[in-house]
Amino acid sequence: MVDRIFAGVLMVVTLAYAVIAFTAISAPFQYDPLGPESWPRILSLVAITCLLVILWKPDATEMGVARQTWFRLGATVILLIAYSELYEPLGFILATILFGTALCAMLGAGIWRSILFGVATGVLGYLLCATLLDLNLPEGELYEAIAETFEKESS
């Protein structure tokens, strides 16, 4: 029963997303064979299909979630909100380091492993996205202030 409730609520959200994907999203020109319009449409259709399968034939087992799991889920949502708020002011690298470290520590890793994971994720993620995928990621106001200070000192 829990599966059907979850799938029903998610179906409402997915149908709203599909309406937006098919009506509101339009690109002025196509620079890609699929284009930016196609991905939200494909995603919504796949999600609707998966949710229909869950609604048709849910799991037979009862969902028993421990209190600690609910706490971790809530903490993860709070961490994601904090990450989204700190993403531009701190920049991709620093925000990702903080998020990765906090999430890893919350899931039970030791402090040094959490820090190593956070730093590796932030730095390698930036290198992957900025060089290989050629994405523009925010450097952050902190980085810009430090770079501006060094520019003033050098001139």
Side-chain angles (χ1 to χ4, degrees), residues 8 11 31-32 59 64 69 79 86 88 114 117 129 136-137:
M11 182 65 82
Y31 53 85
D32 186 353
D59 284 344
T69 303
L79 282 173
L86 295 174
E88 289 212 21
S114 298
F117 176 79
C129 292
N136 293 325
L137 298 175

Side-chain angles (χ1 to χ4, degrees), residues 35-137:
E37 301 160 344
S38 301
W39 291 111
R41 292 174 183 171
I42 292 169
L43 178 64
S44 64
L45 293 175
V46 169
I48 288 170
T49 305
C50 292
L51 290 169
L52 286 173
V53 169
I54 293 172
L55 283 170
W56 183 261
K57 190 174 182 183
D59 284 344
T61 60
E62 189 65 30
M63 184 175 147
V65 180
R67 180 175 288 216
Q68 184 180 13
T69 303
W70 284 113
F71 170 76
R72 286 182 176 174
L73 287 170
T76 302
V77 169
I78 292 169
L79 282 173
L80 285 168
I81 292 169
Y83 181 67
S84 69
E85 292 296 320
L86 295 174
Y87 184 73
E88 289 212 21
L90 294 181
F92 177 85
I93 295 175
L94 190 54
T96 303
I97 288 172
L98 292 173
F99 174 75
T101 302
L103 186 65
C104 200
M106 182 185 72
L107 293 176
I111 188 67
W112 292 112
R113 285 185 176 181
S114 298
I115 292 170
L116 178 65
F117 176 79
V119 170
T121 304
V123 173
L124 294 176
Y126 183 83
L127 291 175
L128 173 75
C129 292
T131 58
L132 190 63
L133 300 176
D134 200 28
L135 298 174
N136 293 325
L137 298 175

Side-chain angles (χ1 to χ4, degrees), residues 23-37:
T23 59
I25 298 175
S26 64
F29 59 89
Q30 293 288 98
Y31 53 85
D32 186 353
L34 287 176
E37 301 160 344

